[in-house]
Amino acid sequence: MSFSSLKNITPVVFYFASVISFVLANVLRDKSLSFYYVLLVLGLIFFFMGILQRLRTKR
């Protein structure tokens, strides 16, 4: 699998995915604690991917 398709995604998409992950994590916090932590980590990954994408497109 190639990550070249990730280069075409705008940073806003990554930020939006991170917000959705954080919201879902907070909704599911009481039901499943392990899923809560997975969504938190996923949200952080999406956020930092958005930052990296933003830095890459600014150059």
Side-chain angles (χ1 to χ4, degrees):
M1 179 170 170
S2 174
F3 291 106
S4 63
S5 62
L6 289 179
K7 293 179 183 175
N8 298 331
I9 299 176
T10 60
V12 176
V13 173
F14 287 119
Y15 295 142
F16 189 67
S18 107
V19 168
I20 289 174
S21 294
F22 289 137
V23 169
L24 281 176
N26 283 323
V27 167
L28 299 174
R29 178 177 33 188
D30 295 332
K31 292 180 178 58
S32 174
L33 200 58
S34 61
F35 202 58
Y36 167 73
Y37 288 118
V38 167
L39 284 173
L40 277 182
V41 170
L42 196 61
L44 284 173
I45 290 171
F46 281 138
F47 180 74
F48 284 116
M49 285 175 70
I51 289 175
L52 289 175
Q53 189 71 11
R54 176 89 173 171
L55 291 175
R56 237 181 259 145
T57 55
K58 283 289 185 182
R59 290 184 189 168

